[in-house]
C-alpha cells in the first residue's frame, strides 16, 4: 500500500508494532492503543518517533493527555462507510491542537480523499489505484460550503470577503429551457422568480 | 426564492463533472459495483427492482416554474414521461440509464438543481413546510434557514459517512406541516420573551421499524447558533451512533439508549467548544439569504373577494375544491391552492411531463412563477389571487389535477412499494388505488372530513404510516402480501404514533377494513365537526377493533 503525503508517494518510515516483542525495535514506531496503554512508560522512555493507531471505536480523547509525546496518530477506517475517524481527525486538530501527522489507514478509497484532507488528515495509506486520487481530490471542487479543518476559505467566507470563485471549466450541457415571452414576464412581476 | 450565485453554480457544475468521471470509471470496470454504490447514492442514484432510480432534491419543496418545466423535460427525454413526487419533497425518476445520469444532473444544474445527498448515510434534503413564507399562521420564514442548512450540509466532509441517514425538518409555524417530530432533528421556530427568533430543537424522531417521536433537547436556540448546534449534534451522533446493526443505527436509538438528558448534555458539552466558531451566523448573512425570499410584488387587495363568493355559489364542484384544496394566505386577497396529485384510482404523487408543464404555466400566469411540493405528495400554487381561483381551477380540471380531496381520505400518501422498490415486502400503489376508488364519491369524502391514510410497502415506513390517522403497512407472510392497520397516528403539532389494531388483513380484505374503520368513526363521532383523530382520541381503539374482527 503506497503512503501518500502531501500529494506525493513517499516511503513509509514507520514500523507498525502489533506485539510486545516489536517494541524493542529502533526507528519510528507505530503502536496500537492497547500496546500504548500497557507499555506506556517503556515507550515514553524510548528514543525515536512514536505513533499510536486508533481503531474506529477508540476516540482520540483516550490519548489526549499524551499527544505532545506523539508524532503520528493513525486513524483506522475498518470500512470506508465507517465515518467516525472524520470527527476524530477534526478533534485531534481543532480541539487538541495536534500538529503531528494524522494518517488515514484501512479502507481508504480515492473518492473519500477530499473529505479526509478537509478534516485534517495529511497522510493516507491508500491502495494502488487510489494513489492518483490526491490530485482530483484537491481540484474537483474549487471551494466548499462549510468551514472545516483545512485552510481553504469556505464559500461563506469567500462571499463575505468577495473572493471570486474559480471559473468553471465545464460546460453546462442542456437543451434550452423555454423562455417566457414579454407578456408572461410582466405577469411574473419584478425581481421574483424568473 | 433562492437563486444560485457563482459559487453555487460552480459547485453543482463541478459535482456533475465529478460524477461523470465516476460513472465512466464504473462503466470501464475500474470501479466495482460495491465501490461505486456509495458514490452513486451520494448523487441520489439507486438501483431498484427493474432499473436505476434517480432521486432529485427539491430543497424545502420550492420550485420555480422554470425548474418544474425542466423536470418535465427530463421526464420526457430520459424517463417514460412522468416523475414521482415523494414524502420528502423530492422527485424520483424511475427509468433512467446509468450512462444518462450525468447528463440528467447537468440538465438539473442548468436550472440550479441537483441530486446531492438524496440518498446515503448523510444529511438528506431538509424537509420544510410547503407553505413557508405564505402561511397565515407563520412566525418566521423557515426557507431561509433551510437554505442555510442546505449549504452547510452539502458534501460536509465530516458527516458524509454517518451511521445512518439523517433528516432535518424545519417548521416556521405553530401548525406543524413538516412532521418535525418524526425527523432525526426537528426545528420549530419560536420567539423568546424579547421577541428574538430561535429554534426549539428536537432530536431522535424517526419511523421505520422502531417509531419514536423526537424529544426536545433545547427549548430555545438563538438563530445565529443554528449551524454550530447542528454540528454538535451530528458530531456526537457520528462518534457514538451504533454501527453494528443497521436497525439500531439511527440517532433515535442513540438518544433512547443514552437518555435524553445525557444526550443533551453531550451535545451542549461539544457545542461550548464551537458555538463561537466560524459557524456562527452573522446577522448580515441571515439577512443576505432572507433577501432572496422577499415577498413578490403582491397587489393590494381586499381580504374578501365577492367575485369568488359568487363563483362558489354557482358551482358546487368548484365550491368543494375551494373548501378542501384552498388555504389561507398571509397576504389579503391571496390564497394557497393544492394541486392534487391524487386522482381517484391514480398513483399518489405521480405527475406526467405535460402536467408539470401545465402547472408551471399556471404558476407563471397566475402566481409569480413559483410552485411548492408538499410532503403529502401534492403540488401547491402558493400565490394565487382569490379572484383567479376559478380560472385556475378550470385549467387544473382539464389537466386532471383538480381532485377536491386535499386532506380527505383519498389524499393518500403511498410509497412506490413492490412495484418499484427492492426493499418492499408488499405493493402499496395498488392498495392506494383500490382505497381511493372505493371512496371516489366526493360528497362522501366531504362528509367523512379530514383524515390521513398512509400506506408503506415495508417496515422502512417511507409513507409515514406510523403517523397516519389510518396507517397501513404491507408485510410479507410466507410469500403472500398482508396489510397491518394502525390507528390514531398524527403528523401535525400533536404528533402521535398509531396503535396496531390487530392481525393483518389480506389484499382482498384491506379496503373493507378501512371502510369499517370509517363506519365506526361516522357512527361514534359527536358531529361532523369532530374529525377522525379527535373521535379516536376520545373513544380509543376498542370500538374499531371489535367491529373489524367481528366481521372477519
Amino acid at each position: 500500500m503506497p503512503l501518500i503525503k502531501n500529494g506525493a508517494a513517499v516511503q513509509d518510515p514507520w514500523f507498525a508494532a502489533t506485539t510486545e516483542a516489536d517494541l524493542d525495535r529502533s526507528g519510528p514506531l507505530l503502536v496500537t492503543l492497547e500496546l500504548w496503554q500497557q507499555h506506556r512508560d517503556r515507550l515514553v522512555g524510548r528514543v525515536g518517533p512514536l505513533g499510536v493507531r486508533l481503531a474506529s471505536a477508540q476516540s482520540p480523547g483516550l490519548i489526549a493527555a499524551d499527544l505532545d509525546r506523539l508524532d503520528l496518530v493513525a486513524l483506522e477506517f475498518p470500512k470506508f462507510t465507517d465515518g467516525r475517524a472524520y470527527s476524530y481527525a477534526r478533534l485531534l486538530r481543532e480541539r487538541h491542537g495536534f500538529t503531528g501527522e494524522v494518517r488515514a489507514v484501512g479502507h481508504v478509497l480515492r473518492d473519500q480523499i477530499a473529505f479526509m484532507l478537509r478534516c485534517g488528515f495529511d497522510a493516507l495509506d491508500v491502495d494502488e489505484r487510489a494513489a492518483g486520487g490526491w490530485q482530483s481530490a484537491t481540484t474537483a471542487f474549487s471551494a466548499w460550503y462549510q468551514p472545516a479543518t483545512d485552510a481553504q476559505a469556505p464559500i461563506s467566507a469567500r462571499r463575505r470577503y468577495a473572493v471570486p470563485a474559480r471559473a468553471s471549466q465545464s460546460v453546462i450541457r442542456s437543451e434550452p429551457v423555454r423562455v417566457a415571452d414579454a407578456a408572461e414576464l410582466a405577469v411574473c412581476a419584478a425581481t421574483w422568480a424568473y | 426564492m433562492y437563486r444560485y450565485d457563482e459559487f453555487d453554480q460552480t459547485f453543482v457544475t463541478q459535482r456533475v463533472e465529478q460524477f461523470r468521471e465516476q460513472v465512466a470509471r464504473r462503466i470501464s470496470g475500474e470501479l466495482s459495483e460495491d465501490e461505486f454504490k456509495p458514490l452513486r447514492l451520494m448523487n441520489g442514484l439507486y438501483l431498484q427492482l427493474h432499473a436505476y432510480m434517480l432521486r432529485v432534491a427539491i430543497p424545502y419543496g420550492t420550485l420555480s416554474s422554470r425548474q418544474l418545466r425542466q423536470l418535465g423535460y427530463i421526464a420526457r427525454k430520459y424517463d417514460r414521461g412522468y416523475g414521482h413526487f415523494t414524502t420528502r419533497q423530492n422527485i424520483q425518476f424511475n427509468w433512467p440509464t446509468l450512462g444518462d445520469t450525468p447528463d440528467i444532473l447537468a440538465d438539473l444544474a442548468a436550472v440550479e438543481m441537483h441530486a446531492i445527498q438524496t440518498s446515503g448515510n448523510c444529511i438528506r434534503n431538509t424537509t420544510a413546510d410547503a407553505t413557508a413564507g405564505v402561511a397565515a399562521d407563520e412566525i418566521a420564514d423557515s426557507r431561509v434557514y433551510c437554505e442555510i442548512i442546505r449549504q452547510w450540509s452539502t458534501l460536509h466532509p465530516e458527516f458524509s459517512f454517518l451511521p445512518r441517514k439523517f433528516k432535518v425538518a424545519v417548521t416556521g409555524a405553530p401548525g406543524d406541516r413538516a412532521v418535525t417530530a418524526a425527523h432525526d432533528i426537528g426545528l420549530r421556530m419560536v420567539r423568546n420573551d424579547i421577541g428574538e427568533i430561535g429554534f426549539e430543537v428536537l432530536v431522535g424522531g424517526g419511523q421505520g421499524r422502531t417509531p419514536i417521536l423526537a424529544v426536545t433537547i433545547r427549548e430555545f436556540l438563538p438563530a445565529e447558533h443554528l449551524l454550530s448546534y447542528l454540528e454538535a449534534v451530528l458530531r456526537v451522533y457520528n462518534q457514538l451512533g451504533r454501527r453494528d446493526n443497521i436497525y439500531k443505527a439511527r440517532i433515535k436509538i442513540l438518544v433512547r439508549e443514552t437518555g435524553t438528558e445525557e444526550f443533551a448534555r453531550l451535545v451542549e458539552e461539544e457545542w461550548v467548544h464551537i458555538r463561537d466558531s466560524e459557524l456562527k451566523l452573522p446577522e448580515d448573512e441571515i439577512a443576505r439569504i432572507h433577501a432572496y425570499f422577499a415577498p413578490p410584488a403582491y397587489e393590494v387587495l381586499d381580504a374578501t373577494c365577492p367575485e369568488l363568493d359568487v363563483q362558489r355559489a354557482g358551482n358546487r364542484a368548484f365550491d368543494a375544491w375551494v373548501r378542501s384544496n384552498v388555504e389561507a394566505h398571509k397576504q389579503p386577497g391571496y390564497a394557497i391552492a393544492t394541486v392534487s396529485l391524487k386522482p381517484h384510482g391514480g398513483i399518489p404523487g405521480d405527475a406526467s411531463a405535460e402536467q408539470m408543464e401545465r402547472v408551471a404555466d399556471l404558476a407563471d400566469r397566475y402566481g409569480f412563477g413559483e410552485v411548492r411540493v408538499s410532503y403529502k405528495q401534492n403540488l401547491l400554487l402558493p400565490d394565487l389571487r382569490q379572484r383567479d381561483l376559478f380560472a385556475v381551477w378550470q385549467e387544473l380540471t382539464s389537466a386532471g389535477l383538480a381532485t377536491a380531496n386535499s386532506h380527505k381520505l383519498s389524499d393518500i400518501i403511498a410509497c412506490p412499494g413492490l412495484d418499484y422498490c427492492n426493499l418492499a415486502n408488499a405493493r402499496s400503489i395498488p392498495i392506494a388505488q383500490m382505497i381511493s376508488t372505493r371512496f371516489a364519491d366526493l360528497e362522501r369524502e366531504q362528509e367523512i372530513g379530514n383524515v390521513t391514510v398512509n400506506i408503506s410497502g415495508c417496515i422502512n415506513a417511507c409513507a409515514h404510516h406510523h403517523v397516519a390517522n389510518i396507517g397501513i403497512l404491507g408485510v410479507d407472510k410466507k410469500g403472500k402480501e398482508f396489510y397491518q392497520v394502525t390507528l390514531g397516528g398524527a403528523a401535525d403539532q400533536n404528533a402521535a404514533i398509531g396503535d396496531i389494531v390487530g392481525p393483518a388483513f389480506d389484499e382482498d380484505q384491506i379496503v373493507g377494513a378501512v371502510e369499517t374503520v370509517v363506519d365506526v368513526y361516522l357512527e361514534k363521532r359527536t358531529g361532523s365537526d369532530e374529525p377522525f383523530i379527535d373521535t379516536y382520541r376520545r373513544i380509543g381503539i376498542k370500538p374499531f377493533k371489535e367491529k373489524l374482527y367481528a366481521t372477519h
Side-chain angles (χ1 to χ4, degrees), chain A residues 83-84 87 90 95 110-111 129 142 145-146 159 163 170 173 175 177-178 187 192 194, chain B residues 5 7-8 13-14 21 25 30 35 64 73 107 151-152 154 158 238 270 294 368 370:
Chain A
R84 282 176 276 194
S87 289
R90 289 196 70 179
R95 186 72 36 83
R110 164 178 171 168
D111 294 284
R129 287 177 309 154
S142 46
Y145 277 105
Q146 56 294 101
R159 281 181 176 133
V163 181
S170 47
R173 203 208 53 78
E175 301 275 314
V177 292
R178 192 182 67 90
V187 175
W192 189 248
Y194 293 87
Chain B
D5 65 8
F7 294 103
D8 300 304
T13 305
Q14 291 173 340
E21 187 261 345
R25 279 195 279 148
E30 185 191 329
E35 290 168 329
S64 68
Y73 163 78
D107 288 348
Q151 295 190 19
W152 162 78
T154 296
E158 185 179 349
N238 189 41
E270 177 58 37
F368 302 104
E370 192 174 320

Short mmCIF file of all heavy atoms in Angstrom, two decimals, chain A residues 83-84 87 90 95 110-111 129 142 145-146 159 163 170 173 175 177-178 187 192 194, chain B residues 5 7-8 13-14 21 25 30 35 64 73 107 151-152 154 158 238 270 294 368 370:
data_model
loop_
_atom_site.label_atom_id
_atom_site.label_comp_id
_atom_site.label_asym_id
_atom_site.label_seq_id
_atom_site.Cartn_x
_atom_site.Cartn_y
_atom_site.Cartn_z
N GLY A 83 -17.54 6.31 9.32
CA GLY A 83 -17.01 7.67 9.23
C GLY A 83 -16.61 8.30 10.55
O GLY A 83 -16.45 9.52 10.62
N ARG A 84 -16.42 7.50 11.59
CA ARG A 84 -16.08 8.09 12.88
C ARG A 84 -14.77 8.87 12.84
O ARG A 84 -14.62 9.91 13.48
CB ARG A 84 -15.98 7.00 13.95
CG ARG A 84 -17.33 6.55 14.44
CD ARG A 84 -17.23 5.41 15.42
NE ARG A 84 -17.12 4.13 14.74
CZ ARG A 84 -17.29 2.96 15.33
NH1 ARG A 84 -17.54 2.91 16.62
NH2 ARG A 84 -17.20 1.84 14.65
N SER A 87 -14.58 12.66 12.38
CA SER A 87 -14.73 13.50 13.58
C SER A 87 -13.46 13.46 14.42
O SER A 87 -13.01 14.48 14.95
CB SER A 87 -15.92 13.02 14.42
OG SER A 87 -17.15 13.32 13.79
N ARG A 90 -10.79 15.78 13.08
CA ARG A 90 -11.07 17.18 13.37
C ARG A 90 -10.81 17.50 14.84
O ARG A 90 -10.26 18.56 15.17
CB ARG A 90 -12.53 17.52 13.02
CG ARG A 90 -12.79 17.55 11.54
CD ARG A 90 -14.09 18.25 11.22
NE ARG A 90 -14.00 19.70 11.48
CZ ARG A 90 -15.00 20.55 11.26
NH1 ARG A 90 -16.15 20.10 10.80
NH2 ARG A 90 -14.84 21.82 11.51
N ARG A 95 -9.52 20.51 18.44
CA ARG A 95 -9.76 20.53 19.86
C ARG A 95 -8.45 20.36 20.63
O ARG A 95 -8.17 21.06 21.59
CB ARG A 95 -10.75 19.41 20.24
CG ARG A 95 -11.22 19.37 21.68
CD ARG A 95 -12.19 20.50 22.01
NE ARG A 95 -13.08 20.88 20.92
CZ ARG A 95 -14.22 20.26 20.62
NH1 ARG A 95 -14.65 19.27 21.35
NH2 ARG A 95 -14.95 20.69 19.61
N ARG A 110 -10.18 6.33 -2.98
CA ARG A 110 -9.91 7.58 -3.69
C ARG A 110 -10.99 8.63 -3.50
O ARG A 110 -10.71 9.82 -3.32
CB ARG A 110 -9.75 7.23 -5.17
CG ARG A 110 -9.83 8.38 -6.10
CD ARG A 110 -9.63 7.89 -7.51
NE ARG A 110 -9.92 8.97 -8.44
CZ ARG A 110 -9.62 8.92 -9.72
NH1 ARG A 110 -9.00 7.87 -10.21
NH2 ARG A 110 -9.91 9.92 -10.50
N ASP A 111 -12.25 8.19 -3.54
CA ASP A 111 -13.32 9.17 -3.53
C ASP A 111 -13.63 9.74 -2.15
O ASP A 111 -14.49 10.59 -2.01
CB ASP A 111 -14.57 8.57 -4.18
CG ASP A 111 -14.32 8.31 -5.65
OD1 ASP A 111 -14.33 9.27 -6.42
OD2 ASP A 111 -14.04 7.14 -6.01
N ARG A 129 -4.64 1.90 -6.77
CA ARG A 129 -5.49 2.62 -7.72
C ARG A 129 -5.87 4.00 -7.22
O ARG A 129 -6.13 4.91 -7.98
CB ARG A 129 -6.78 1.82 -7.98
CG ARG A 129 -6.58 0.60 -8.84
CD ARG A 129 -7.89 -0.13 -8.95
NE ARG A 129 -8.48 -0.34 -7.62
CZ ARG A 129 -9.78 -0.48 -7.40
NH1 ARG A 129 -10.63 -0.43 -8.39
NH2 ARG A 129 -10.23 -0.67 -6.18
N SER A 142 -13.58 23.82 -6.49
CA SER A 142 -12.74 24.99 -6.26
C SER A 142 -13.02 25.63 -4.90
O SER A 142 -12.22 26.39 -4.40
CB SER A 142 -12.92 26.01 -7.38
OG SER A 142 -14.29 26.20 -7.65
N TYR A 145 -18.58 24.50 0.86
CA TYR A 145 -19.52 25.36 1.54
C TYR A 145 -19.14 25.66 2.99
O TYR A 145 -19.28 26.78 3.46
CB TYR A 145 -20.92 24.74 1.53
CG TYR A 145 -21.67 25.03 0.25
CD1 TYR A 145 -21.84 24.05 -0.71
CD2 TYR A 145 -22.19 26.29 0.00
CE1 TYR A 145 -22.52 24.31 -1.89
CE2 TYR A 145 -22.88 26.56 -1.17
CZ TYR A 145 -23.04 25.57 -2.12
OH TYR A 145 -23.71 25.83 -3.27
N GLN A 146 -18.73 24.62 3.71
CA GLN A 146 -18.65 24.79 5.17
C GLN A 146 -17.21 24.90 5.65
O GLN A 146 -16.30 24.37 5.04
CB GLN A 146 -19.35 23.62 5.89
CG GLN A 146 -18.85 22.24 5.55
CD GLN A 146 -19.10 21.79 4.14
OE1 GLN A 146 -18.21 21.84 3.32
NE2 GLN A 146 -20.32 21.36 3.84
N ARG A 159 -17.76 34.64 0.07
CA ARG A 159 -18.82 35.59 -0.25
C ARG A 159 -18.63 36.87 0.55
O ARG A 159 -18.75 37.97 0.03
CB ARG A 159 -20.18 34.99 0.10
CG ARG A 159 -20.67 34.03 -0.92
CD ARG A 159 -22.04 33.50 -0.51
NE ARG A 159 -22.58 32.64 -1.53
CZ ARG A 159 -23.14 31.45 -1.29
NH1 ARG A 159 -23.21 31.00 -0.05
NH2 ARG A 159 -23.60 30.72 -2.28
N VAL A 163 -14.05 36.90 -2.41
CA VAL A 163 -13.04 36.12 -3.14
C VAL A 163 -13.75 35.45 -4.31
O VAL A 163 -14.71 34.72 -4.11
CB VAL A 163 -12.43 35.02 -2.23
CG1 VAL A 163 -11.36 34.25 -2.98
CG2 VAL A 163 -11.88 35.64 -0.97
N SER A 170 -16.20 23.44 -16.90
CA SER A 170 -17.11 22.57 -17.63
C SER A 170 -18.26 23.37 -18.22
O SER A 170 -18.62 24.44 -17.75
CB SER A 170 -17.65 21.51 -16.68
OG SER A 170 -18.07 22.13 -15.51
N ARG A 173 -24.44 21.32 -20.14
CA ARG A 173 -24.99 20.77 -21.36
C ARG A 173 -26.47 20.53 -21.15
O ARG A 173 -26.87 19.67 -20.39
CB ARG A 173 -24.29 19.43 -21.63
CG ARG A 173 -24.30 18.97 -23.05
CD ARG A 173 -24.23 17.48 -23.09
NE ARG A 173 -25.27 16.95 -22.25
CZ ARG A 173 -26.53 16.88 -22.62
NH1 ARG A 173 -26.90 17.29 -23.80
NH2 ARG A 173 -27.44 16.40 -21.79
N GLU A 175 -30.60 21.22 -23.02
CA GLU A 175 -31.47 21.83 -24.01
C GLU A 175 -31.91 23.17 -23.45
O GLU A 175 -32.07 23.33 -22.24
CB GLU A 175 -32.71 20.96 -24.21
CG GLU A 175 -32.40 19.55 -24.67
CD GLU A 175 -32.24 19.46 -26.17
OE1 GLU A 175 -33.08 20.00 -26.88
OE2 GLU A 175 -31.26 18.83 -26.61
N VAL A 177 -34.12 25.88 -22.03
CA VAL A 177 -35.46 25.85 -21.45
C VAL A 177 -36.27 26.97 -22.09
O VAL A 177 -35.72 27.96 -22.56
CB VAL A 177 -35.45 26.01 -19.92
CG1 VAL A 177 -34.82 24.80 -19.28
CG2 VAL A 177 -34.73 27.26 -19.52
N ARG A 178 -37.57 26.81 -22.09
CA ARG A 178 -38.42 27.79 -22.76
C ARG A 178 -38.32 29.13 -22.04
O ARG A 178 -38.44 29.21 -20.82
CB ARG A 178 -39.87 27.30 -22.73
CG ARG A 178 -40.80 28.06 -23.63
CD ARG A 178 -42.20 27.52 -23.47
NE ARG A 178 -42.71 27.82 -22.13
CZ ARG A 178 -43.37 28.94 -21.84
NH1 ARG A 178 -43.60 29.84 -22.78
NH2 ARG A 178 -43.81 29.14 -20.62
N VAL A 187 -46.33 39.50 -16.09
CA VAL A 187 -47.12 38.86 -15.03
C VAL A 187 -46.20 38.42 -13.89
O VAL A 187 -46.54 38.50 -12.72
CB VAL A 187 -47.91 37.66 -15.59
CG1 VAL A 187 -48.63 36.91 -14.48
CG2 VAL A 187 -48.90 38.13 -16.64
N TRP A 192 -39.07 38.78 -8.95
CA TRP A 192 -39.48 37.48 -8.46
C TRP A 192 -39.23 36.38 -9.49
O TRP A 192 -39.41 36.57 -10.67
CB TRP A 192 -40.97 37.53 -8.10
CG TRP A 192 -41.43 36.32 -7.40
CD1 TRP A 192 -42.28 35.39 -7.88
CD2 TRP A 192 -41.06 35.89 -6.12
NE1 TRP A 192 -42.46 34.42 -6.97
CE2 TRP A 192 -41.72 34.68 -5.86
CE3 TRP A 192 -40.20 36.40 -5.13
CZ2 TRP A 192 -41.57 33.98 -4.68
CZ3 TRP A 192 -40.06 35.69 -3.96
CH2 TRP A 192 -40.75 34.51 -3.74
N TYR A 194 -38.38 33.92 -12.22
CA TYR A 194 -37.55 34.01 -13.42
C TYR A 194 -38.12 34.99 -14.41
O TYR A 194 -39.24 34.89 -14.80
CB TYR A 194 -37.44 32.62 -14.06
CG TYR A 194 -36.67 31.71 -13.18
CD1 TYR A 194 -37.33 31.01 -12.17
CD2 TYR A 194 -35.31 31.61 -13.27
CE1 TYR A 194 -36.63 30.21 -11.30
CE2 TYR A 194 -34.62 30.80 -12.42
CZ TYR A 194 -35.27 30.10 -11.43
OH TYR A 194 -34.57 29.30 -10.57
N ASP B 5 -25.69 31.79 -6.86
CA ASP B 5 -24.68 32.76 -7.29
C ASP B 5 -23.54 31.98 -7.95
O ASP B 5 -23.65 30.77 -8.16
CB ASP B 5 -24.22 33.65 -6.12
CG ASP B 5 -23.49 32.86 -5.03
OD1 ASP B 5 -23.20 31.66 -5.23
OD2 ASP B 5 -23.21 33.45 -3.98
N PHE B 7 -20.84 30.90 -6.89
CA PHE B 7 -20.29 29.81 -6.08
C PHE B 7 -21.18 28.56 -6.16
O PHE B 7 -20.70 27.44 -6.36
CB PHE B 7 -20.16 30.25 -4.61
CG PHE B 7 -19.14 31.32 -4.41
CD1 PHE B 7 -19.52 32.64 -4.23
CD2 PHE B 7 -17.78 31.02 -4.43
CE1 PHE B 7 -18.58 33.62 -4.05
CE2 PHE B 7 -16.82 32.01 -4.25
CZ PHE B 7 -17.23 33.32 -4.06
N ASP B 8 -22.48 28.78 -6.00
CA ASP B 8 -23.41 27.64 -6.07
C ASP B 8 -23.35 26.99 -7.44
O ASP B 8 -23.33 25.77 -7.57
CB ASP B 8 -24.85 28.12 -5.82
CG ASP B 8 -25.03 28.77 -4.46
OD1 ASP B 8 -24.72 28.12 -3.45
OD2 ASP B 8 -25.49 29.92 -4.41
N THR B 13 -21.88 22.41 -10.91
CA THR B 13 -21.28 22.04 -12.19
C THR B 13 -20.08 21.12 -11.98
O THR B 13 -19.91 20.11 -12.67
CB THR B 13 -20.84 23.32 -12.94
OG1 THR B 13 -21.96 24.18 -13.06
CG2 THR B 13 -20.31 22.98 -14.32
N GLN B 14 -19.27 21.45 -10.99
CA GLN B 14 -18.12 20.60 -10.69
C GLN B 14 -18.58 19.24 -10.16
O GLN B 14 -17.95 18.21 -10.43
CB GLN B 14 -17.21 21.31 -9.68
CG GLN B 14 -16.52 22.53 -10.31
CD GLN B 14 -15.74 23.37 -9.31
OE1 GLN B 14 -15.97 23.32 -8.11
NE2 GLN B 14 -14.82 24.17 -9.81
N GLU B 21 -17.17 11.51 -14.29
CA GLU B 21 -15.92 10.77 -14.27
C GLU B 21 -16.07 9.46 -13.47
O GLU B 21 -15.55 8.42 -13.85
CB GLU B 21 -14.85 11.70 -13.68
CG GLU B 21 -13.44 11.20 -13.72
CD GLU B 21 -13.00 10.60 -12.39
OE1 GLU B 21 -13.69 10.82 -11.36
OE2 GLU B 21 -11.99 9.91 -12.40
N ARG B 25 -15.65 5.60 -14.78
CA ARG B 25 -14.82 4.58 -14.12
C ARG B 25 -15.62 3.32 -13.84
O ARG B 25 -15.09 2.21 -13.91
CB ARG B 25 -14.23 5.14 -12.82
CG ARG B 25 -12.99 6.00 -13.03
CD ARG B 25 -12.26 6.21 -11.71
NE ARG B 25 -12.86 7.27 -10.92
CZ ARG B 25 -12.87 7.29 -9.59
NH1 ARG B 25 -12.33 6.30 -8.90
NH2 ARG B 25 -13.43 8.29 -8.94
N GLU B 30 -13.27 -0.03 -13.77
CA GLU B 30 -12.27 0.33 -12.76
C GLU B 30 -12.90 0.30 -11.37
O GLU B 30 -12.24 -0.08 -10.39
CB GLU B 30 -11.70 1.72 -13.06
CG GLU B 30 -10.57 2.10 -12.12
CD GLU B 30 -10.17 3.57 -12.23
OE1 GLU B 30 -10.29 4.14 -13.33
OE2 GLU B 30 -9.73 4.12 -11.20
N GLU B 35 -17.92 -0.53 -4.83
CA GLU B 35 -17.21 0.74 -4.64
C GLU B 35 -17.98 1.91 -5.23
O GLU B 35 -17.91 3.03 -4.74
CB GLU B 35 -15.82 0.66 -5.29
CG GLU B 35 -14.88 -0.26 -4.56
CD GLU B 35 -13.61 -0.56 -5.35
OE1 GLU B 35 -13.67 -0.58 -6.60
OE2 GLU B 35 -12.57 -0.78 -4.72
N SER B 64 -39.17 26.82 -8.99
CA SER B 64 -39.62 27.86 -9.91
C SER B 64 -40.32 27.16 -11.07
O SER B 64 -40.13 25.96 -11.31
CB SER B 64 -38.44 28.66 -10.44
OG SER B 64 -37.64 27.85 -11.27
N TYR B 73 -39.17 18.12 -18.79
CA TYR B 73 -38.28 17.81 -19.92
C TYR B 73 -37.46 16.55 -19.64
O TYR B 73 -37.33 15.66 -20.49
CB TYR B 73 -37.37 19.03 -20.17
CG TYR B 73 -36.15 18.72 -21.00
CD1 TYR B 73 -36.25 18.60 -22.38
CD2 TYR B 73 -34.91 18.55 -20.39
CE1 TYR B 73 -35.13 18.31 -23.14
CE2 TYR B 73 -33.79 18.25 -21.14
CZ TYR B 73 -33.90 18.13 -22.52
OH TYR B 73 -32.79 17.82 -23.26
N ASP B 107 -28.41 18.69 -16.77
CA ASP B 107 -29.65 19.40 -17.07
C ASP B 107 -30.26 20.01 -15.81
O ASP B 107 -30.88 21.08 -15.86
CB ASP B 107 -30.67 18.45 -17.73
CG ASP B 107 -30.26 18.09 -19.15
OD1 ASP B 107 -29.34 18.75 -19.69
OD2 ASP B 107 -30.85 17.16 -19.73
N GLN B 151 -26.80 24.55 2.41
CA GLN B 151 -25.42 24.87 2.03
C GLN B 151 -24.42 24.26 3.00
O GLN B 151 -23.45 23.64 2.58
CB GLN B 151 -25.25 26.39 1.96
CG GLN B 151 -26.12 27.00 0.84
CD GLN B 151 -25.80 28.46 0.57
OE1 GLN B 151 -24.74 28.96 0.94
NE2 GLN B 151 -26.73 29.16 -0.06
N TRP B 152 -24.68 24.39 4.27
CA TRP B 152 -23.76 23.86 5.28
C TRP B 152 -23.60 22.33 5.15
O TRP B 152 -22.52 21.78 5.29
CB TRP B 152 -24.26 24.22 6.68
CG TRP B 152 -23.66 23.39 7.77
CD1 TRP B 152 -22.43 23.51 8.32
CD2 TRP B 152 -24.29 22.28 8.43
NE1 TRP B 152 -22.24 22.55 9.29
CE2 TRP B 152 -23.37 21.79 9.38
CE3 TRP B 152 -25.53 21.66 8.32
CZ2 TRP B 152 -23.65 20.69 10.21
CZ3 TRP B 152 -25.82 20.59 9.14
CH2 TRP B 152 -24.88 20.12 10.07
N THR B 154 -24.07 20.42 2.51
CA THR B 154 -23.71 19.89 1.19
C THR B 154 -22.26 19.41 1.15
O THR B 154 -21.34 20.19 1.35
CB THR B 154 -23.95 20.97 0.10
OG1 THR B 154 -25.34 21.27 0.07
CG2 THR B 154 -23.52 20.46 -1.26
N GLU B 158 -17.18 15.92 7.25
CA GLU B 158 -17.18 15.12 8.47
C GLU B 158 -18.41 14.21 8.54
O GLU B 158 -18.36 13.14 9.16
CB GLU B 158 -17.15 16.06 9.69
CG GLU B 158 -17.03 15.35 11.04
CD GLU B 158 -16.97 16.34 12.20
OE1 GLU B 158 -16.82 17.56 11.97
OE2 GLU B 158 -17.11 15.88 13.36
N ASN B 238 -22.16 11.05 15.15
CA ASN B 238 -21.19 10.37 14.28
C ASN B 238 -20.23 9.50 15.07
O ASN B 238 -19.83 8.43 14.63
CB ASN B 238 -20.41 11.42 13.48
CG ASN B 238 -19.54 10.78 12.40
OD1 ASN B 238 -19.96 9.84 11.73
ND2 ASN B 238 -18.33 11.28 12.23
N GLU B 270 -20.16 19.55 23.67
CA GLU B 270 -19.47 19.72 22.40
C GLU B 270 -19.68 21.15 21.88
O GLU B 270 -18.77 21.81 21.37
CB GLU B 270 -19.99 18.70 21.38
CG GLU B 270 -19.41 18.82 19.98
CD GLU B 270 -17.91 18.70 19.93
OE1 GLU B 270 -17.34 17.89 20.70
OE2 GLU B 270 -17.28 19.42 19.11
N ALA B 294 -37.69 37.47 -0.25
CA ALA B 294 -38.58 38.64 -0.10
C ALA B 294 -39.91 38.33 -0.79
O ALA B 294 -39.94 37.65 -1.82
CB ALA B 294 -37.92 39.86 -0.73
N PHE B 368 -46.70 34.38 -9.83
CA PHE B 368 -45.31 34.79 -9.63
C PHE B 368 -44.30 33.68 -9.95
O PHE B 368 -43.17 33.69 -9.46
CB PHE B 368 -45.08 35.30 -8.21
CG PHE B 368 -45.96 36.46 -7.82
CD1 PHE B 368 -47.04 36.25 -6.98
CD2 PHE B 368 -45.71 37.74 -8.30
CE1 PHE B 368 -47.87 37.31 -6.62
CE2 PHE B 368 -46.54 38.79 -7.94
CZ PHE B 368 -47.61 38.59 -7.10
N GLU B 370 -44.00 30.51 -9.06
CA GLU B 370 -43.47 29.60 -8.04
C GLU B 370 -44.44 28.45 -7.75
O GLU B 370 -45.65 28.62 -7.76
CB GLU B 370 -43.18 30.38 -6.75
CG GLU B 370 -42.37 29.55 -5.78
CD GLU B 370 -41.94 30.33 -4.54
OE1 GLU B 370 -41.57 31.50 -4.66
OE2 GLU B 370 -41.99 29.72 -3.45
#
